[in-house]
Amino acid sequence: MRLSRYYVPTLKESPADAEVISHKLLLRAGMIRKLTSGIYCYLPLGLRSINKVSQIVREEMSRAGALEVLLPMVQPASLWQETGRWDYYGKELLRFNDRHDRDYCLGPTHEEVITDLVRGETRSYKQLPLNLYQIQTKFRDEIRPRFGLMRGREFIMKDGYSFDRDEKGAEESYRAMFEAYKKTFARIGLRFKPVQADSGAIGGDFSHEFMVLAKTGEDTLASCTACEFAANLEKARVTVPEGEDMTRADCPTLERVAAADARTIDKACAALGTSPDKFIKALLLVVDGDRPVAALVRGDRELNEVKLRNLVGGNDIEFADAAVIRRLTGASGEFAGPVGLAEDIPMYADNELRLATDWTARDNAPDTLLRHLSLGRDCRIDKFADLRTIEPSDPCPECGGAIEFTEGIEVGHVFKLGLKYSAKMDATFLDENGDSKPMVMGCYGIGVSRIVAAAIEQNNDENGCCFPPSIAPYEVCLISLAGADEDVAAKAEELYANITDMGVDVAFDERGERPGVKFAEADLVGYPMQLVLGGKSFEKGIIEAKDRKTSEKTELPLDGFAEAFAAWRAEVWSRWGLEL
Ligand code: ATP
Ligand code: MG
C-alpha cells in the first residue's frame, strides 16, 4: 500500500468527547470516525485491524470445529416472544415496524435466530454436535455508549452457538471453545485472564468472561494472588469464616432510639455510638416491577444485586424508591428497617450476619434507630445466603489466599446455556432410541471491534498506538526519505516490492512530506516495525529499523536485506510473545 494514495485522515488534537486513550488514538490515527452516538465508520486502517482480528478468530473457530454462517441482522419479534425475551430484554433492544406494522428488532445477539434455524434442520442425533458461528454487526441501544469502539451501540461481534445431544457433549463443546478463546486472545497479543462470570440476561448454568487487563476497563475482577481463581465482581463468591450460629444467642432487649439526623449510616452509627460493621442495612428491592424483597447486609458492605437476583429469580431487580419504601413499610420514612416488615416480603440476609448478634439498625418509623437487635428473635429471616460483593480483604473462596482487584475489559464471554432456549423453542432431536430430546446449547461471544480498542489500551505511549504485529493495520511502515534523490527512491521501490513479495503487509510512505511528519504519523498509527531509508545510513548501505513497542533501533544491511529483515521481524514478533 502506498501512503500517497491511501486515506489516513489524522488529527493533531483529540476530539473533546474522547475520554480514553484508545478512543483518542483511533480518531487521531484516522482509523474511525463517529457518525452519531455509539456508531462509527471504520476507515481503511481501522478496518484492516478489525479484519485481522476476525481472521484469527476464524482460524481458531475453524480449528475447533465451528462452522461459519451469516444470520440476518433484522429479526422478527415472534421469535423473541417464543423465549419471552421480547418483554424483558429492555431498551437495549432496538425495535421497529415494517410497512405491514409487524414488529422486528435489530439483533443484539442471535440465540433465537440460530435456535430457529437449527430446529428446522436437525432431526437426528447423528447431526449433532453442531457448532455454528458468525462475525457480524450487532446493535444494542446501550444506555451509555462511550469510549469509542469499547462500548458502541453498533459493533462487530463474533457469536457462536453449540448444540449437543447431552450435558456431557455440551461440556466438551464448552471446553473446546474455552481453549479456542485462550488461543485466539494469545495470538492477538493481548494480556488477558479468563474469569468466572454471571450468565446475565442470556442465562444458563455457568460462564466465563475473558478480560483484557487495563486500567480503563469498565469491569473489576477479583483474582487470587496464590491460586488460579479469578471472577467478575458480580460473581465472586464470598466465604465467611467458620463460626457458631449466633442468631439464637442471648441479646439484651430490643430498644428504639430517637435520632433526628441519621440520614447516612455513619450518622446513624454516630448517634448509636457504634460502627457500621455492627449495623445492619435493610434494603428493599423490587423484582420484575412488582415483587418486593428485603436484603440485609452489614452497614460497611455492599449488596450484590446480581447474587440477589440469582437467588430470588426474575430478570430485573431494582432498589425501591422512597415512595415504594413508604408503601411497603407502611411508615412515613424514606428508609426501611428489618423489624416488622410485612409477612409477604421475603427476607434474605447475608451469611456473615449469622455469626453475631446484638446488632444496630434503622427502624421503619422515621428518625428512629434500633439497638440490641437479634435477627433470630426480633425479625424473621427466610434465608441466609452469599449476598454481598467480595472485597480485597476477603479470602479467596477457593484457597483462602489474598484477593486483589484489577480493572478489565471484557473481550469474550462463553456461556453454557443448557436447555434455556431449546426447551422454550422446542429445538429437539431424536436420540438413538427414537426418543425426542431438547438439544443442549452453549453460546460464545467475542467483541471483535472492542478488541482493537482493548489492544490499544494495553499498548500505547505518548506518541501513539503500539499495535501487536498480529493485528496491526500494516505490520511494517517503510519510510522513504528520498526527497530528490533518485537512487534512494529506486531502492525504496525495490524494498517495497521485496517486502510485499515476502507476504508481509507494508505501508510504503513515499510521500513528499517532511521526515518529522512521516515519523510522527508512523508512531501515531503504531505500525510495529518501521524501516527508514535515506540519508547517511543509505550511503553506508544500511536501512534503519525501529521496533515501535520497545523503540529499539537496529541497522539492517541493504545487501542481503531479505534475510536480515526476516530475522529481525521474527525477533519483533517474539518480543511480543507471538509466533509468526
Ligand atoms: P458488557 O458487560 O460489556 O456490556 P455483555 O456481557 O453485554 O458485555 P455479551 O452479550 O457477552 O456482552 O457479548 C459478547 C461480547 O461482545 C462481549 O464480551 C464484548 O466483548 C462485546 N460487546 C458487548 N457489548 C458491546 C458494546 N456495546 N460495544 C462493543 N463490544 C461489545
Ligand atoms: Mg452489555
Side-chain angles (χ1 to χ4, degrees):
M1 174 277 275
R2 287 170 192 276
L3 276 174
S4 61
R5 293 188 210 151
Y6 212 61
Y7 187 51
V8 190
T10 55
L11 302 173
K12 285 230 159 45
E13 306 290 331
S14 27
D17 64 343
E19 292 168 66
V20 297
I21 191 73
S22 61
H23 190 190
K24 290 181 187 163
L25 291 177
L26 283 163
L27 289 165
R28 285 193 49 213
M31 296 198 219
I32 61 168
R33 282 294 180 267
K34 177 165 140 181
L35 178 65
T36 181
S37 167
I39 302 183
Y40 290 87
C41 305
Y42 308 117
L43 274 58
L45 286 179
L47 183 60
R48 278 189 70 91
S49 188
I50 288 174
N51 285 343
K52 286 198 176 178
V53 172
S54 302
Q55 183 56 23
I56 293 172
V57 170
R58 284 197 171 94
E59 286 170 18
E60 293 306 327
M61 284 298 110
S62 165
R63 202 196 300 269
L67 306 174
E68 187 167 4
V69 294
L70 187 55
L71 305 171
M73 193 184 175
V74 172
Q75 310 185 4
S78 56
L79 282 182
W80 287 71
Q81 282 152 353
E82 274 188 57
T83 60
R85 290 211 292 182
W86 186 254
D87 291 327
Y88 72 74
Y89 202 93
K91 291 191 173 159
E92 266 188 34
L93 190 65
L94 184 68
R95 302 154 206 253
F96 56 94
N97 298 325
D98 69 3
R99 64 170 74 200
H100 306 293
D101 218 24
R102 284 184 292 241
D103 291 321
Y104 289 87
C105 64
L106 281 186
T109 177
H110 279 66
E111 284 78 12
E112 280 82 359
V113 172
I114 196 90
T115 308
D116 178 58
L117 175 76
V118 170
R119 72 176 164 186
E121 307 302 328
T122 312
R123 302 267 169 263
S124 155
Y125 69 95
K126 290 182 190 149
Q127 293 164 281
L128 300 177
L130 184 62
N131 191 330
L132 301 174
Y133 78 96
Q134 62 174 341
I135 295 178
Q136 188 205 37
T137 297
K138 295 281 185 272
F139 194 92
R140 295 183 181 179
D141 202 356
E142 297 274 355
I143 182 163
R144 282 216 295 160
R146 58 192 181 144
F147 301 162
L149 297 191
M150 290 245 262
R151 182 167 301 282
R153 294 197 295 161
E154 195 177 292
F155 58 97
I156 301 175
M157 196 206 280
K158 187 285 299 192
D159 49 323
Y161 307 86
S162 63
F163 298 82
D164 275 277
R165 300 177 199 177
D166 51 26
E167 270 306 304
K168 190 165 151 284
E171 266 164 40
E172 273 165 30
S173 296
Y174 184 89
R175 217 170 345 216
M177 282 297 114
F178 187 88
E179 292 305 321
Y181 272 41
K182 284 206 287 192
K183 275 202 206 130
T184 304
F185 298 127
R187 278 187 63 192
I188 290 170
L190 297 167
R191 293 186 300 284
F192 69 96
K193 211 176 181 110
V195 305
Q196 300 171 12
D198 183 70
S199 40
I202 292 188
D205 300 347
F206 63 89
S207 103
H208 286 88
E209 284 167 357
F210 287 79
M211 295 287 189
V212 160
L213 309 175
K215 283 194 202 68
T216 43
E218 291 181 280
D219 290 278
T220 304
L221 45 131
S223 53
C224 179
T225 52
C227 77
E228 286 292 289
F229 171 80
N232 190 317
L233 279 203
E234 290 179 346
K235 175 77 177 180
R237 270 180 300 126
V238 174
T239 46
V240 296
E242 296 281 312
E244 212 183 320
D245 180 351
M246 299 295 283
T247 46
R248 301 271 156 197
D250 285 346
C251 174
T253 311
L254 181 71
E255 272 178 25
R256 290 192 155 77
V257 182
D261 180 20
R263 290 191 57 83
T264 65
I265 287 177
D266 284 339
K267 284 184 176 167
C269 288
L272 289 161
T274 188
S275 52
D277 59 334
K278 305 269 179 351
F279 186 90
I280 290 180
K281 269 196 283 202
L283 302 161
L284 285 179
L285 297 96
V286 181
V287 183
D288 291 340
D290 58 2
R291 188 153 59 92
V293 297
L296 312 189
V297 293
R298 240 167 62 175
D300 57 338
R301 305 296 198 191
E302 219 174 292
L303 173 71
N304 185 316
E305 291 162 61
V306 172
K307 288 181 180 179
L308 180 65
R309 189 204 58 208
N310 289 343
L311 182 70
V312 302
N315 298 307
D316 181 52
I317 193 157
E318 274 182 357
F319 282 101
D321 61 24
V324 173
I325 290 174
R326 282 188 203 109
R327 180 166 58 77
L328 292 174
T329 57
S332 59
E334 56 187 302
F335 298 110
V339 175
L341 286 175
E343 283 296 315
D344 58 356
I345 303 180
M347 304 274 291
Y348 299 103
D350 183 57
N351 281 330
E352 71 186 342
L353 300 187
R354 195 201 283 267
L355 302 178
T357 188
D358 200 354
W359 295 99
T360 53
R362 289 186 192 284
D363 195 13
N364 285 311
D367 303 328
T368 313
L369 301 172
L370 301 174
R371 176 183 282 158
H372 304 314
L373 167 68
S374 158
L375 288 187
R377 177 192 67 195
D378 304 318
C379 101
R380 155 184 66 87
I381 298 294
D382 293 302
K383 195 173 168 104
F384 284 92
D386 174 13
L387 286 183
R388 70 176 174 89
T389 302
I390 197 167
E391 293 173 17
S393 56
D394 285 310
C396 165
E398 253 142 57
C399 78
I403 287 291
E404 70 179 359
F405 278 18
T406 330
E407 267 61 57
I409 302 167
E410 182 194 322
V411 291
H413 203 164
V414 291
F415 299 85
K416 198 160 145 294
L417 293 173
L419 306 180
K420 186 174 155 103
Y421 293 89
S422 49
K424 282 195 184 128
M425 295 185 65
D426 204 19
T428 57
F429 67 100
L430 296 178
D431 71 5
E432 293 93 322
N433 307 317
D435 293 332
S436 173
K437 290 208 169 126
M439 299 177 211
V440 189
M441 289 174 58
C443 80
Y444 317 95
I446 291 183
V448 171
S449 47
R450 182 183 281 184
I451 282 176
V452 175
I456 297 174
E457 290 294 328
Q458 270 190 342
N459 305 290
N460 66 77
D461 62 17
E462 64 284 1
N463 298 323
C465 309
C466 306
F467 270 106
S470 51
I471 64 161
Y474 289 87
E475 234 186 278
V476 181
C477 183
L478 171 62
I479 299 172
S480 164
L481 304 182
D485 188 331
E486 285 177 13
D487 291 345
V488 176
K491 189 69 189 174
E493 287 291 337
E494 185 190 320
L495 293 180
Y496 174 50
N498 284 168
I499 298 170
T500 307
D501 289 345
M502 290 166 81
V504 179
D505 50 345
V506 47
F508 182 23
D509 195 350
E510 24 62 291
R511 297 172 304 169
E513 298 285 352
R514 284 182 293 115
V517 170
K518 296 185 175 199
F519 298 149
E521 199 178 295
D523 277 354
L524 176 61
V525 171
Y527 307 101
M529 289 166 243
Q530 295 174 14
L531 296 171
V532 183
L533 188 73
K536 289 211 176 64
S537 54
F538 176 74
E539 284 159 26
K540 286 191 281 177
I542 279 167
I543 180 165
E544 282 173 17
K546 182 175 107 172
D547 178 333
R548 172 69 182 89
K549 173 84 166 162
T550 62
S551 293
E552 212 170 293
K553 288 193 175 147
T554 314
E555 297 185 333
L556 304 179
L558 289 172
D559 197 14
F561 170 79
E563 296 75 42
F565 170 72
W568 177 64
R569 178 178 175 227
E571 228 175 85
V572 172
W573 278 70
S574 80
R575 261 180 233 141
W576 278 91
L578 295 171
E579 274 173 38
L580 253 183

